[in-house]
Amino acid sequence: MAERPKMLREERAKQFMPFAALKGYPEALRKKEKRIVQKRELSEEHQEELDRKLHQVRKNDIITVVYFCNNEYLEQTGMVSKMDVKARVLYIVNTRILFDDIYDISGEHFC
């Protein structure tokens, strides 16, 4: 039986190097990490601007809302399915957003 040649030390070390089965997975996880932030206090002018925009929103409008939820700011774009002024709640499709959590509203029909 023929004897195998000895493996060089550098070649042998390669066998024990880390192996990434899912290339790019660690980077993707870092991008999805939740960054906990404090809810921003809105100035009176900013609150008035949001109030003006909320008065323009109608059912079936397509809008984008930036809102605070679970210690982070999220952005939701979609059709307004319901708006309950008394309960101070806006629904974009099935997402329930409290008026007090809204940071910004944008859409084609806003000035």
Side-chain angles (χ1 to χ4, degrees), residues 7 9 13 24 27 31 35-36 38-40 42 48 50 53 61 64 70-71 75 79-80 88 93 95 102-103:
M7 190 181 289
R9 180 170 281 193
E27 292 82 20
K31 287 180 184 176
R35 292 181 180 90
I36 296 175
Q38 296 294 320
K39 187 173 181 181
R40 300 174 190 149
L42 303 180
E48 289 172 4
L50 280 177
K53 287 181 177 181
D61 285 350
T64 299
N70 297 327
N71 297 316
E75 184 176 290
M79 183 182 293
V80 176
R88 298 182 49 81
V93 186
T95 304
I102 296 174
Y103 181 74

Side-chain angles (χ1 to χ4, degrees), residues 42 46 49-50 53 64-67 73-74 76 101-106:
L42 303 180
H46 194 113
E49 179 69 16
L50 280 177
K53 287 181 177 181
T64 299
V65 177
V66 177
Y67 65 102
Y73 280 92
L74 303 173
Q76 177 75 35
D101 292 336
I102 296 174
Y103 181 74
D104 192 26
I105 302 173
S106 59

